[in-house]
Amino acid sequence: MEKRNFYFDNAKFILIFFVVFGHLLRSFIEDNETIFTVYKVIYSFHMPAFILVSGFFAKGYYEKGYIQKIAKKLILPYLLFQGIYSLFYYYLYNRPSIDMDPFNPHWSLWFLISLFCWNIMLLLFSKFKPVYALTGAVFIGLAIGYVDWVSNYLSLSRTFVFFPLFLAGYFLKKEHLALIMRPSARASAIGIFAIATALFYLYPDINYQWLLGSKPYAEMGAASFTALLTRLGFYLLSFLMVFSFLACVPKGQYFFTRLGKNTLYVYLLHGFIVRLFRESDLQNYFNEPEQFLMLASISLLLTLLLSSGLATALTQPLIELKTAKLHTLKVRLTAMLKFYRNKRFN
């Protein structure tokens, strides 16, 4: 593995940790202003950064078979987990019927269908110069908020709102990353994070739903010209926070680096545990600052567990429709058993 890959694997692992932590924090944002601030800071960069990094790795979209490969990687797991989550919610919430609507993504599954759409949209937007393509994408993201029927259906709202970040990642080059990773950029990044945190804390009435990109302006009570300016401001915030995050990502190899390749597993699987947590009495235990630090530790352990070799081997048939990792695990276990058996009888 080249050193530059360590950087992106580190980034993806850290981001998926924040996804898990943010989802666990959701239960407490109405009760604790500090937690609400942390929640908004996390949401200002974690999915935008994931989207930008995804765009960076979409440069091979023009290769033969790429779209078919992406469809298999994203749409098939989306449809499968849409059904699994439908059954899960039916039993968890004692619903009267099973909602199997494939066009209305359950919770975090929106990312899969949006990611597929972003790759398709590259076929058009990549033909233009970056400045024109990005300007057009931002304009569409701003304008789509005035279309009231564009919301969670097929994840259309998020698809259009977050597309500028994906497109920026596509146009991002190694030279740009070199500038971002300079020590001076890291110092600026820490300052930007501090300022953003202070603003969210000092202005608690900022509607966090602007960070989600999932609703039209009318549903957020802002269907006027000021809504466009507000979304434009959040675009600026997201880009600043994303590049600030990227400036702080370590470039070396660590114990979690190789697990950064398995973020899709964590993304698809952690929702079951988070939903069970939200419906349990365990969340009543978390009400002090040190206990929320414990929640962060639990998030890290959960991220490590779901991205581990064992978890990915057992769930690869569902997520990637492959059994390679399961076969490798079986071979290793067989070899270990054979080794200890021979050692015992020799």
Side-chain angles (χ1 to χ4, degrees), residues 283-314:
Q283 61 181 352
N284 297 330
Y285 175 78
F286 296 94
N287 47 43
E288 299 294 336
E290 60 271 17
Q291 291 165 344
F292 286 109
L293 289 176
M294 184 187 299
L295 193 64
S297 300
I298 292 171
S299 301
L300 178 59
L301 290 174
L302 184 57
T303 305
L304 290 169
L305 174 64
L306 295 180
S307 59
S308 67
L310 178 60
T312 56
L314 294 175

Side-chain angles (χ1 to χ4, degrees), residues 15-306:
L15 286 171
I16 200 63
F17 157 74
F18 277 118
V19 169
V20 176
F21 187 39
H23 283 160
L24 287 174
L25 283 180
R26 177 63 183 85
S27 299
F28 311 102
I29 61 175
E30 283 89 6
D31 305 322
N32 190 304
E33 195 58 52
T34 301
I35 295 304
F36 199 12
T37 299
V38 172
Y39 179 83
K40 284 184 279 192
V41 170
I42 290 173
Y43 271 75
S44 69
F45 74 89
H46 75 335
M47 286 313 297
F50 245 128
I51 293 164
L52 186 137
V53 170
S54 298
F56 183 82
F57 286 103
K59 291 178 170 57
Y61 78 95
Y62 56 85
E63 296 174 358
K64 184 178 180 180
Y66 181 82
I67 298 301
Q68 292 88 333
K69 179 182 176 182
I70 287 294
K72 182 179 179 181
K73 182 180 179 180
L74 300 174
I75 299 303
L76 290 180
Y78 165 76
L79 293 172
L80 181 60
F81 274 83
Q82 186 76 350
I84 293 173
Y85 269 104
S86 296
L87 290 171
F88 179 67
Y89 289 162
Y90 171 74
Y91 289 107
L92 181 65
Y93 301 118
N94 295 314
R95 291 180 174 175
S97 62
I98 300 174
D99 181 12
M100 298 286 282
D101 184 1
F103 302 109
N104 190 26
H106 284 306
W107 197 29
S108 58
L109 296 182
W110 69 268
F111 181 68
L112 298 185
I113 195 167
S114 288
L115 183 54
F116 176 74
C117 291
W118 294 326
N119 278 274
I120 297 297
M121 292 164 73
L122 278 182
L123 296 173
L124 172 62
F125 281 81
S126 64
K127 297 182 183 298
F128 299 95
K129 291 182 178 181
V131 63
Y132 299 133
L134 287 168
T135 300
V138 169
F139 176 80
I140 293 171
L142 295 173
I144 204 69
Y146 291 108
V147 184
D148 292 348
W149 59 269
V150 174
S151 56
N152 194 56
Y153 181 81
L154 282 175
S155 189
L156 287 177
S157 181
R158 285 183 169 112
T159 296
F160 290 118
V161 171
F162 288 127
F163 182 58
L165 287 146
F166 183 84
L167 196 58
Y170 170 77
F171 287 124
L172 193 68
K173 297 181 179 179
K174 296 175 187 176
E175 306 87 80
H176 303 141
L177 286 172
L179 293 173
I180 293 170
M181 291 186 283
R182 292 184 305 176
S184 58
R186 181 169 297 182
S188 299
I190 294 172
I192 290 171
F193 266 102
I195 292 171
T197 302
L199 287 175
F200 279 128
Y201 186 80
L202 294 173
Y203 298 93
D205 293 333
I206 293 175
N207 189 347
Y208 75 95
Q209 293 189 22
W210 286 101
L211 299 167
L212 307 182
S214 60
K215 298 181 183 297
Y217 297 146
E219 287 193 33
M220 292 186 289
S224 64
F225 180 71
T226 56
L228 184 147
L229 296 178
T230 301
R231 175 159 288 171
L232 188 61
F234 275 97
Y235 269 137
L236 177 61
L237 173 66
S238 291
F239 274 104
L240 283 173
M241 294 295 280
V242 167
F243 287 115
S244 296
F245 167 77
L246 293 176
C248 296
V249 173
K251 293 180 284 186
Q253 186 176 19
Y254 301 90
F255 72 94
F256 58 82
T257 299
R258 63 181 180 83
L259 301 178
K261 297 178 178 293
N262 300 328
T263 53
L264 181 60
Y265 289 82
V266 183
Y267 192 82
L268 290 174
L269 298 173
H270 82 283
F272 299 106
I273 300 172
V274 170
R275 289 292 186 176
L276 286 171
F277 173 77
R278 291 181 181 179
E279 293 301 308
S280 72
D281 293 330
L282 287 174
Q283 61 181 352
N284 297 330
Y285 175 78
F286 296 94
N287 47 43
E288 299 294 336
E290 60 271 17
Q291 291 165 344
F292 286 109
L293 289 176
M294 184 187 299
L295 193 64
S297 300
I298 292 171
S299 301
L300 178 59
L301 290 174
L302 184 57
T303 305
L304 290 169
L305 174 64
L306 295 180

